[in-house]
Amino acid sequence: MEEFNSTAFPTISGDLMSDHFQFSDQDSLPKPDVEILTSNGLRIPAHTGILALVSPVLENVIERPPKHRSSEKTIPIHGVPCEAVSAFIQFLYSSRCSEEELEKYGIHLLALSHVYLVPQLKHRCSKAVGQRLTIENVVDVLQLARLCDSPDLYLKCMRMLSSNFKAVEKTEGWKFMHENDPFLELEILQFIDEAESRKMRARRHREEQRLYMELSEAMECLEHICTEGCTTVGPCDLEPSKKRDPCDKFSICEGLQLLIKHFAICKNRVNGKCSRCKRMWQLLRLHSSICDQTDSCRVPLCR
């Protein structure tokens, strides 16, 4: 194994490394044979065997022939804070990542886990970043979720955008996206439009269900009134003076009885000028269309 001459850059030494990375079996590890080079020049010693085992991308990087002959082997990971790189390497060794690290570097770790194909870390980061969504960062996180192919996080961002669109529209993230990424803006607006359409369909379905239940109960009450009678209205062969007790659905029956009484005496029911009589005709027609006992049915005009 080669030993590194890293006096020109800050380095996590071997002694500090064992404390920093919390290995399960520190004594069994050989000397590091590669260094991870971060943006600020920090060098993190590591083991090619472990890196290659956890990340197929790092495995390809390690197996790639070097461009220049050098005694030291390095893998540059730039574009993110060195602390995020350190937390990423720690996860490769221990499969652990603290909540504090996820809160500080969750977005950077999500990008690293996507680039280096570490699905377990990617799942944890997507969940952690999704739990910390705000109005201010939702557009930026949406763009990252889109780039990192994280559908759960993408959907969560879209739902927050849809629910808080007026507030998100005022943020700097939205203004920047509006000027630089019209395709994403169109995608967001289409999602909001589809979400509104789904809400309208669901609302219409609930209204239809409510109307269906009301008509179903009205049909039951109509048969009940014309067969057994309820309080003041009943079949013609029963004594009108006989007092009847209210039924279980008296709130519906009472309105239907008032409608029947009006229908019996209204002078405009034939020429169609009375809206209440029209409603009664509709109920009678509906009953006759679904009744399967027309020979014995006692509802008027059922046949």
Side-chain angles (χ1 to χ4, degrees), residues 116-157:
Y116 293 100
L117 299 180
V118 186
Q120 187 180 359
L121 178 60
K122 184 176 179 179
H123 176 72
R124 285 198 60 187
C125 291
S126 296
K127 187 175 180 181
V129 172
Q131 290 171 346
R132 294 168 175 84
L133 277 180
T134 64
I135 299 295
E136 293 297 325
N137 72 6
V138 65
V139 175
D140 296 329
V141 175
L142 175 66
Q143 292 174 309
L144 179 64
R146 195 161 165 246
L147 290 171
C148 292
D149 189 24
S150 179
D152 291 343
L153 183 58
Y154 175 87
L155 184 59
K156 195 163 188 177
C157 291

Side-chain angles (χ1 to χ4, degrees), residues 139-196:
V139 175
D140 296 329
V141 175
L142 175 66
Q143 292 174 309
L144 179 64
R146 195 161 165 246
L147 290 171
C148 292
D149 189 24
S150 179
D152 291 343
L153 183 58
Y154 175 87
L155 184 59
K156 195 163 188 177
C157 291
M158 279 294 199
R159 285 173 175 167
M160 175 174 273
L161 270 163
S162 179
S163 303
N164 305 275
F165 182 70
K166 292 295 182 184
V168 173
E169 212 175 9
K170 298 175 183 176
T171 63
E172 292 299 321
W174 176 270
K175 293 173 184 175
F176 181 84
M177 184 268 298
H178 173 72
E179 294 175 358
N180 296 278
D181 196 345
F183 293 105
L184 179 57
E185 182 181 12
L186 179 62
E187 203 173 306
I188 292 169
L189 295 176
Q190 286 175 339
F191 180 90
I192 294 173
D193 184 61
E194 290 171 4
E196 287 299 319

Side-chain angles (χ1 to χ4, degrees), residues 16-31:
L16 291 176
M17 179 183 169
S18 62
D19 295 333
H20 185 76
F21 288 120
Q22 303 176 9
F23 299 136
S24 57
D25 191 2
Q26 298 169 10
D27 297 333
S28 65
L29 286 173
K31 287 185 178 180

